[in-house]
Amino acid sequence: MQTRKLFGTDGMRGEAGLYPLDQETVFKFGKALGRLLQETNGAGQPQVILGEDTRESSRWISGTLSAGIRSAGTRLFYAGVVTTPGVAFLTRHHGFTAGVMVSASHNPYCDNGIKVFSNSGLKLSEAQELEIERAIECDGAPDGPCTQEELSAEPEFLNEYVSYLCSMLPGSLRLPGAPLVVDCANGSASRVVPLLIEQLGIEARILNAAPDGRNINSHCGSLFPAGMARETQATKAYLGIAFDGDADRAIFASSEGWIADGDYVLYAVAPFYKRQQKLNGQTVVGTLMTNLGLEHALARSSIALKRTAVGDRYVLEEMLRGGYNLGGEPSGHVIFADLSLAGDGIIT
């Protein structure tokens, strides 16, 4: 089987401005994606939703991608700064042919990436990624500079995602009497969380929600949860939450400042799901990195753990193959398949 060269387990990533995230290759990526969608969409013009995180390179990458996608006759809608799972939601919600997110997730600001979702909210198959790679490789050098479009975000997309998140909470739910501490990692959550907190009427101290293009994930967020945990303990908050740059991960802290990663989330949720008779197959999907202690703890509740290779792509593939509805990684990437096929830190 042919090996992918540009795509990893979570889209195409690299240092912004350098191959494969140089302007020419990004334009070719957009053109190749647009043509692939034209070939597979059947009748009608394909439609794509595009979102990005807060890195300084995200805007020019989005503009170049947009130009490439539109050059292939595909219609594009721009959501601006939003979370990766937000793009997955909007793709499903509106029935777009595909969704594209410009982000390098938890990586430093100098890196960036491109990930694509199908209209079901799933990432592209490896066969589709290989087809895009072949198209990029066969695309000759452009006659002149690659076009870069000026994009203007349509605010209703962000509002729709926030409304969707709000709708998940039952009206009878008692809100915590103490505040929350929320670390937005100076990333995409900076746009979503303040709106969500306000609409829900939850008191919260929000940290690291002033992105400047270079401070995303910088000594904050889910990679550096200690600061969030200290603030949670110092303010006697009800709970602390730290997201990564595109908010598909969440790490938590108790009111005592004790940090809980994705394995603890699975340990908390799986028995609860089982008691509610909602745990499909009495099984949780983890990875080779999942703590052995979690496996033993779940076994005491007669819950099995299935392991996959590291990466949310492989966790989701196993969940879909076995019909399971709960899985995740210690990194804080947890998938609640009944709610979303994309791991969503805010849903978690």
Side-chain angles (χ1 to χ4, degrees):
M1 181 178 176
Q2 188 175 348
T3 304
R4 293 168 299 161
K5 299 175 184 176
L6 302 182
F7 284 89
T9 60
D10 204 18
M12 185 175 82
R13 285 191 188 166
E15 186 173 344
L18 302 180
Y19 180 83
L21 285 178
D22 58 290
Q23 192 172 12
E24 180 181 329
T25 309
V26 169
F27 181 84
K28 289 179 179 180
F29 184 108
K31 186 164 64 169
L33 175 62
R35 287 177 174 172
L36 173 66
L37 298 178
Q38 292 277 3
E39 293 168 2
T40 57
N41 192 52
Q45 183 186 34
Q47 297 185 337
V48 171
I49 179 79
L50 172 65
E52 65 189 45
D53 70 15
T54 58
R55 290 162 219 271
E56 63 180 11
S57 60
S58 290
R59 180 56 60 88
W60 74 256
I61 292 175
S62 291
T64 306
L65 258 180
S66 173
I69 290 170
R70 284 177 169 148
S71 75
T74 295
R75 189 177 181 189
L76 184 130
F77 297 84
Y78 178 57
V81 173
V82 69
T83 68
T84 291
V87 169
F89 160 74
L90 291 168
T91 305
R92 296 192 314 274
H93 180 68
H94 287 280
F96 289 121
T97 317
V100 181
M101 180 68 181
V102 176
S103 175
S105 190
H106 58 283
N107 289 18
Y109 85 92
C110 52
D111 293 335
N112 217 321
I114 304 168
K115 62 180 81 175
V116 183
F117 295 95
S118 70
N119 56 12
S120 63
L122 295 172
K123 293 175 184 175
L124 290 183
S125 69
E126 293 188 12
Q128 289 171 316
E129 290 175 345
L130 280 169
E131 190 170 339
I132 289 175
E133 287 192 2
R134 283 193 293 268
I136 292 172
E137 192 174 314
C138 295
D139 196 344
D143 296 330
C146 296
T147 307
Q148 186 180 136
E149 296 186 347
E150 286 294 326
L151 298 172
S152 179
E154 300 177 49
E156 65 269 21
F157 290 127
L158 177 62
N159 294 331
E160 285 173 347
Y161 176 52
V162 172
S163 296
Y164 163 69
L165 294 170
C166 287
S167 72
M168 290 187 175
L169 295 185
S172 59
L173 182 70
R174 290 182 57 192
L175 297 179
L180 303 181
V181 170
V182 186
D183 185 342
C184 295
N186 292 312
S188 295
S190 304
R191 287 291 307 280
V192 178
V193 166
L195 292 175
L196 180 64
I197 291 296
E198 181 182 7
Q199 290 191 27
L200 291 176
I202 293 177
E203 183 185 353
R205 173 161 168 67
I206 298 177
L207 310 176
N208 302 306
D212 64 7
R214 295 191 170 198
N215 60 0
I216 185 171
N217 299 315
S218 180
H219 303 287
C220 60
S222 63
L223 284 182
F224 302 92
M228 172 274 295
R230 286 193 298 269
E231 187 68 20
T232 303
Q233 183 180 27
T235 58
K236 298 181 172 57
Y238 184 81
L239 188 73
I241 310 106
F243 301 110
D244 66 337
D246 65 340
D248 61 356
R249 305 179 183 201
I251 299 292
F252 296 88
S254 69
S255 56
E256 295 81 20
W258 182 72
I259 295 173
D261 65 13
D263 281 351
Y264 289 96
V265 173
L266 295 178
Y267 175 67
V269 175
F272 172 77
Y273 265 24
K274 186 179 180 185
R275 290 194 299 273
Q276 299 289 317
Q277 298 184 329
K278 293 180 179 179
L279 186 64
N280 293 356
Q282 310 304 303
T283 298
V284 171
V285 179
T287 74
L288 297 175
M289 297 294 290
T290 299
N291 196 303
L292 182 62
L294 173 62
E295 186 171 358
H296 290 323
L298 292 176
R300 288 197 292 272
S301 297
S302 299
I303 297 172
L305 176 76
K306 281 189 173 289
R307 294 180 183 267
T308 72
V310 176
D312 63 287
R313 169 195 289 270
Y314 305 114
V315 171
L316 181 57
E317 285 176 356
E318 181 60 33
M319 291 174 69
L320 294 174
R321 187 162 40 243
Y324 309 121
N325 59 340
L326 180 63
E329 303 180 274
S331 63
H333 199 134
V334 180
I335 300 173
F336 300 90
D338 295 335
L339 303 173
S340 173
L341 295 181
D344 188 326
I346 299 177
I347 290 178
T348 302

